[in-house]
Amino acid sequence: APIFILHDIRQAGVKYVDEFFDRLKKINLKNELVFELFQYADEKYYKKIHDSVPKYSIEFTLETHDSKLRRLNSKFNCTNEKVIETMNFALKHGCSKIDLFFMIGIPGQTHESALKNVEFCETIHNACNQDSRIFYFVAPLAPFLDPASAAFEDPDKYGYKKLCHTLEDHRKAITQPSWKHMLSYETKEMTRDDIVSATYESALLLNDFKLKYSLVNKESHLD
């Protein structure tokens, strides 16, 4: 089974990364490894991964097409051109699969901006030669803000309105009949209703995009 390496290991610094891959290379691992990226990676990084493991995949926690919002939320603080470049580097150097995640309900995002994520999916797909190894996902940050995270502890600073404060609040939330009522937050730009609406609209647009490029068949598209 694949082994998922949580978080971007480069957060620990260059020395840590070099030691990680040196040790990994020596154990003759047979499993596929899944690496998560929070920031741009150059060609050298993918070569290092490819040289250390027999098979690997990448998860891009991109969150949004809007580079200004990415800078605000500290994810892929680079241009969209750089995002596409790092994806092409991965595909060039043996990556077996790329999971690309966009989020609904991040601070600073409006309903209109959320829907434009799917437009960026199409831009990426064409810029990456319509490579079938790229898988596209759109989802809300659900159901809770992570307790003890910076956003949970200081929601005003990070653009959130926190709706669940105590353990009991969270327990009650998970008993609700709809995921909308489980959401423990809103943002300054989007209410819970807005987040739900943008999520379903984005899902429909993404489904149409996947059908257009034969990433799903007609039967799956209708389902």
Side-chain angles (χ1 to χ4, degrees):
I3 298 172
F4 192 102
I5 309 298
L6 288 171
H7 305 303
D8 192 324
I9 63 171
R10 297 173 299 162
Q11 291 178 300
V14 174
K15 183 178 179 182
Y16 175 89
V17 170
D18 289 342
E19 182 178 356
F20 182 91
F21 285 119
D22 286 342
R23 289 172 177 260
L24 194 60
K25 191 173 181 179
K26 293 175 182 177
I27 64 175
N28 192 27
L29 188 71
K30 296 180 180 179
N31 304 66
E32 176 183 0
L33 264 70
V34 184
F35 294 91
E36 192 171 13
L37 293 187
F38 293 162
Q39 304 294 347
Y40 171 85
D42 60 17
E43 200 165 359
K44 180 180 178 183
Y45 183 66
Y46 295 111
K47 288 180 179 178
K48 191 173 294 186
I49 298 176
H50 192 39
D51 189 46
S52 303
V53 297
K55 186 177 181 181
Y56 76 96
S57 299
I58 294 291
E59 287 206 351
F60 279 78
T61 311
L62 192 60
E63 295 192 345
T64 173
H65 73 282
D66 189 327
S67 59
K68 293 180 180 178
L69 289 185
R70 292 201 303 267
R71 188 178 304 115
L72 176 67
N73 294 299
S74 301
K75 292 288 180 67
F76 276 89
N77 185 10
C78 62
T79 65
N80 287 341
E81 289 75 18
K82 282 290 187 181
V83 169
I84 292 169
E85 182 179 76
T86 195
M87 294 182 70
N88 273 318
F89 284 155
L91 296 168
K92 178 181 177 181
H93 293 287
C95 182
S96 62
K97 180 183 179 185
I98 294 176
D99 287 336
L100 181 60
F101 290 94
F102 292 92
M103 303 297 295
I104 307 294
I106 61 173
Q109 184 185 63
T110 63
H111 186 279
E112 181 182 6
S113 178
L115 299 185
K116 287 184 178 179
N117 286 332
V118 180
E119 292 180 18
F120 190 44
C121 288
E122 186 165 16
T123 299
I124 290 171
H125 198 60
N126 288 317
C128 293
N129 300 310
Q130 299 183 17
D131 200 299
S132 61
R133 288 174 289 172
I134 306 176
F135 293 78
Y136 304 87
F137 302 91
V138 175
L141 175 62
F144 304 142
L145 285 180
D146 294 339
S149 67
F152 184 88
E153 296 297 332
D154 194 356
D156 287 340
K157 178 181 178 181
Y158 293 96
Y160 288 104
K161 177 183 177 182
K162 189 166 65 174
L163 304 176
C164 291
H165 302 267
T166 66
L167 179 60
E168 179 63 12
D169 290 340
H170 288 80
R171 187 198 67 78
K172 288 180 179 178
I174 63 175
T175 67
Q176 298 302 308
S178 165
W179 69 270
K180 179 180 82 170
H181 298 103
M182 293 182 194
L183 285 176
S184 70
Y185 70 95
E186 295 179 336
T187 68
K188 293 178 180 178
E189 292 76 20
M190 297 173 71
T191 65
R192 286 198 292 193
D193 285 334
D194 293 331
I195 292 169
V196 171
S197 175
T199 297
Y200 287 130
E201 287 186 50
S202 295
L204 290 171
L205 291 171
L206 187 67
N207 199 29
D208 290 342
F209 153 73
K210 289 181 178 181
L211 179 66
K212 178 180 178 180
Y213 290 95
S214 301
L215 300 175
V216 296
N217 57 34
K218 289 184 178 180
E219 183 179 354
S220 297
H221 175 262
L222 291 174
D223 289 342

